[in-house]
Amino acid sequence: RAYKARVGKQLASYGLKLDDVVTPTPDVMAALKKLTPEQMSDRNKRIKRAIDLQLKKTYLAEDVQALQKPFEGYLDYKKEKALMHEKLTYQ
């Protein structure tokens, strides 16, 4: 729990979600391709904002950090992984 709280605080300080920083495995890449243009745009904006904040050595304002939901997922990569495994199994 303490680790999750620390990770959540770090993600919120840059305005990121956990799915923004997940390792780009083939199943994650497949899930990214299924995002709507709006979801992809939001993701890219969060990543660009985080890079900008990091380069400026600053964080989001405390009140904005409080609004962040870093563990609210938008990628369904676990489902993609299961589908890929199923395809490989039955070929």
Side-chain angles (χ1 to χ4, degrees):
R1 275 188 240 180
Y3 177 74
K4 185 176 179 179
R6 281 196 315 256
V7 169
K9 184 168 175 51
Q10 274 299 114
L11 289 170
S13 67
Y14 289 109
L16 291 169
K17 293 181 182 264
L18 187 59
D19 286 350
D20 294 336
V21 296
V22 71
T23 304
T25 60
D27 43 296
V28 170
M29 297 305 289
L32 282 171
K33 288 179 184 174
K34 292 186 176 184
L35 291 178
T36 65
E38 183 180 313
Q39 287 174 314
M40 192 59 141
S41 176
D42 291 346
R43 179 181 192 271
N44 290 334
K45 288 175 187 175
R46 284 191 302 272
I47 292 170
K48 287 178 184 178
R49 176 179 57 192
I51 292 169
D52 185 54
L53 289 168
Q54 189 176 24
L55 289 173
K56 293 176 180 176
K57 299 185 187 303
T58 188
Y59 301 107
L60 289 176
E62 291 289 329
D63 57 330
V64 178
Q65 286 183 38
L67 299 173
Q68 302 302 307
K69 298 176 183 172
F71 298 110
E72 185 178 90
Y74 60 90
L75 285 179
D76 204 3
Y77 56 89
K78 292 178 183 166
K79 181 180 177 183
E80 290 299 322
K81 186 174 185 173
L83 290 172
M84 290 178 85
H85 178 70
E86 187 176 304
K87 284 181 187 176
L88 291 174
T89 303
Y90 295 109
Q91 282 185 353

